[in-house]
Amino acid sequence: MDARVACCSLIAVALAAAPLVTAAQPAPVDPYGGATYGGASDGGATYGGATYGGDAYSGDPYGGDAYGGAMYGGEAYGGQGYGGASYGGASYGGAAPVVARPRPPAVLAYDWTTGLVRLDEAGRQVVLAAPVAGRVLAHSYQPLIVEEATGRWFLTRQAKGRTARTWTLVFGDRRGATAEIAGDARCGGRGPACFEVPLGFAADGTSVLTLSLHAAGFTLGRYGFGVAGRRELAGKAIATRLAIAPTHDRAAYVSRGGLTLIDWTATGPRPKARGEHVKVDGNLDRLVMLDEAVLFRRRVTGRDRRVATTLEVIDRATGDREVVYQPRHELAWAPLEAPARGSAFVHDCDHARGDNACDVVEVTAAGARTMARGVARALDVSADGRYLLVLRHPRDRAARATAWPDLVVLDLATGRDAAVYPEVPADSAQFTR
């Protein structure tokens, strides 16, 4: 609001006309035209001088500091107060606090035809060069993993050669790729097919975890960030269906007839105590560690050979089991952990539709609720738990069919789109800062 200074018009006291004076005639004494009203008081110091025409009304209080200066024409009404800090400045037109909407994190997206790009308000910026040599695809890549708080990322890739196909780990940050090291020496080569898949950053912040998918089983390994050398943490006996808590102080894996719950040492993970076994019938798939429970999908074949699927939790403290969600369609796995929310997101997908539309369901130990409908896949949850990154297949955009889905950031607090990146061919994507 712009302050307008009220201009005060002062009506001066009219001076009495003095009679003509000649040298032979002395001037008469006139109280209204002399010192009082026409002199010091009214025409001089008081009304025409210091008080009303000077300091008081034309000077300091009314024509100076007060009404024409600091108070009414200066700091108060024309300056800091009404035309400055208060009414034209801090209070009424200046530094009043404005509540800004939170901005969603930027996105690092990987696509084998484009490479690694950063998506934010400034547009697309190539971070890693496209993985091609001329027109030939140079490598096979696995999903991108990003540490949101620092912007560090890593992925695994396999060089395509005529004979040996070795896996490497590529590390980087906001500047781009910073290092590349050799991966699992037993994965690839001239032997059976093997894929080394990135899992995530370890809790210590200095290392990363990968899963080597051998034909005979899986193994879990750890690497220092950008440092060569792999340490195997778990072999194929448990690495096929192993869930590690976000804090990396406990884990669970599928064992014969149910689940085994274990604790890890600080330098592990290795069991520091005998694992606790929980009996569960049916076929158990991959697991997710929640705060105080283990989430798993159970599939049971009935007499009519129809598979019944349920999503269940086991309380770690009591061993009690409870069904928390029954799918409407097909409960695809690929769960997304959300440690900030104490939950995980899973997909309930209608594969009968051409775009494989899925409901994204949030599951906790207390139950489940649908957070998004009609998406192709959920890719990541922000570190603060507010935003969900999904791929959406629009049936029509600008009166034409589309070849590529949109990459969409959903605000879970409002249920609205916080950002939309149209037609982004993302094989994998995660939030970054």
Side-chain angles (χ1 to χ4, degrees), residues 28-93:
V29 178
D30 190 351
Y32 294 91
T36 305
Y37 290 89
S41 297
D42 291 84
T46 306
Y47 290 88
T51 307
Y52 290 88
D55 289 342
Y57 289 88
S58 291
D60 205 14
Y62 292 87
D65 287 343
Y67 290 89
M71 240 175 152
Y72 291 87
E75 287 184 343
Y77 290 88
Q80 187 176 7
Y82 291 84
S86 295
Y87 290 87
S91 297
Y92 291 86

Side-chain angles (χ1 to χ4, degrees), residues 84-142:
S86 295
Y87 290 87
S91 297
Y92 291 86
V98 177
V99 179
R101 293 181 179 179
R103 293 182 179 180
V107 175
L108 277 184
Y110 176 76
D111 159 58
W112 69 268
T113 61
T114 306
L116 187 63
V117 296
R118 179 183 174 90
L119 303 170
D120 53 21
E121 296 178 352
R124 303 183 66 176
Q125 177 185 357
V126 175
V127 177
L128 183 65
V132 295
R135 297 184 179 181
V136 180
L137 183 65
H139 301 86
S140 295
Y141 284 78
Q142 293 297 325

Side-chain angles (χ1 to χ4, degrees), residues 309-358:
T309 304
T310 57
L311 204 60
E312 303 180 21
V313 295
I314 291 180
D315 189 302
R316 294 193 313 110
T318 64
D320 293 340
R321 221 174 77 203
E322 183 180 356
V323 175
V324 290
Y325 184 71
Q326 291 182 312
R328 298 170 57 234
H329 303 290
E330 173 64 24
L331 187 61
W333 200 215
L336 291 175
E337 298 177 20
R341 302 171 68 94
S343 65
F345 291 84
V346 298
H347 300 75
D348 188 350
C349 302
D350 185 1
H351 296 303
R353 290 179 51 177
D355 55 1
N356 290 333
C358 302

Side-chain angles (χ1 to χ4, degrees), residues 174-258:
R174 296 183 180 93
R175 301 168 297 174
T178 58
E180 184 169 4
I181 64 172
D184 187 353
R186 295 176 300 174
C187 193
R190 295 179 175 85
C194 179
F195 300 90
E196 188 166 14
V197 179
L199 290 184
F201 283 80
D204 58 12
T206 63
S207 56
V208 299
L209 302 176
T210 67
L211 195 64
S212 296
L213 313 182
H214 302 273
F218 304 166
T219 58
L220 179 69
R222 184 205 297 265
Y223 297 84
F225 187 85
V227 180
R230 177 180 183 270
R231 177 186 174 189
E232 187 168 308
L233 304 178
K236 46 193 176 182
I238 63 173
T240 50
R241 285 170 288 182
L242 170 71
I244 303 176
T247 54
H248 288 212
D249 58 354
R250 59 187 184 272
Y253 65 91
V254 178
S255 55
R256 179 174 296 179

